[in-house]
């Protein structure tokens, strides 16, 4: 029967079954209040437009699949935006898909943010049977 000595406590005396925890890493605050590079809304808007056009060009509206399609498009857009390496930015992505039937729609969002560092980008896509609106918010972590 072996006993494990976790963290150097009594028992076992450093024989065979000892489990040693590595020392905890300590991180200092950076006190960094502004980003090295700001969120580039124009580049993000191009990504949203490219993804929506390439994935929805030949799609017909299907209410049963629109929820999953919206999630998939959000994931694709978010991963492409993260490739731009906006350091210390939280990226929030939303894609809305609806059926095109001669109706009007207004999509709005609200957020508390710092106008000096935070930003957003959006793009829309329409074909004969559906519309889609993609929105990306870049929120800086201080």
């Amino acid at each position: 029967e072996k006993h494990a000595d976790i963290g150097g406590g009594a028992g076992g005396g450093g024989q065979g079954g000892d489990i040693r925890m590595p020392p905890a890493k300590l991180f200092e605050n950076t006190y960094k209040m502004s980003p090295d590079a700001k969120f580039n809304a124009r580049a993000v808007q191009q990504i949203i437009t490219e993804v929506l056009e390439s994935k929805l060009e030949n799609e017909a509206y299907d209410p049963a699949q629109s929820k999953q399609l919206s999630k998939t498009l959000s994931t694709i857009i978010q991963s492409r935006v993260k490739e731009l390496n906006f350091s210390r930015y939280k990226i929030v992505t939303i894609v809305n898909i609806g059926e095109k039937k001669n109706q009007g729609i207004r999509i709005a969002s609200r957020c508390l943010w710092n106008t000096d560092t935070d930003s957003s980008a959006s793009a829309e896509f329409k074909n004969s049977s559906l519309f889609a609106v993609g929105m990306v918010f870049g929120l800086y972590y201080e």
Side-chain angles (χ1 to χ4, degrees):
E1 182 175 328
K2 288 188 177 182
H3 296 282
D5 180 17
I6 299 175
Q15 298 174 354
D18 290 0
I19 298 173
R20 300 282 180 201
M21 301 299 290
K25 291 183 180 180
L26 299 176
F27 295 98
E28 300 269 337
N29 289 333
T30 63
Y31 301 104
K32 189 171 185 126
M33 301 300 285
S34 62
D36 293 331
K38 288 190 176 183
F39 185 81
N40 185 343
R42 180 168 288 155
V44 173
Q45 184 177 22
Q46 288 175 340
I47 289 171
I48 300 168
T49 301
E50 288 170 10
V51 171
L52 294 180
E53 286 177 356
S54 68
K55 300 295 182 184
L56 298 175
E57 186 174 28
N58 297 318
E59 283 289 322
Y61 180 75
D62 180 359
Q65 293 183 354
S66 63
K67 180 179 177 181
Q68 184 58 45
L69 183 59
S70 179
K71 288 180 182 181
T72 302
L73 292 173
S74 290
T75 302
I76 293 169
I77 291 169
Q78 187 157 27
S79 65
R80 295 258 322 262
V81 170
K82 285 185 176 184
E83 290 173 4
L84 297 176
N85 293 322
F86 294 121
S87 180
R88 298 176 66 131
Y89 272 90
K90 178 175 182 141
I91 306 299
V92 179
T93 308
I94 302 168
V95 175
N96 295 300
I97 299 174
E99 186 174 18
K100 188 174 172 186
K101 282 207 164 188
N102 296 323
Q103 78 276 25
I105 186 169
R106 182 177 304 233
I107 298 173
S109 61
R110 298 177 92 178
C111 183
L112 181 63
W113 70 14
N114 181 342
T115 56
D116 294 332
T117 57
D118 303 340
S119 188
S120 66
S122 65
E124 64 181 61
F125 173 82
K126 297 176 191 172
N127 67 17
S128 60
S129 70
L130 63 80
F131 68 88
V133 178
M135 297 175 285
V136 175
F137 301 91
L139 308 169
Y140 183 69
Y141 280 110
E142 292 180 343

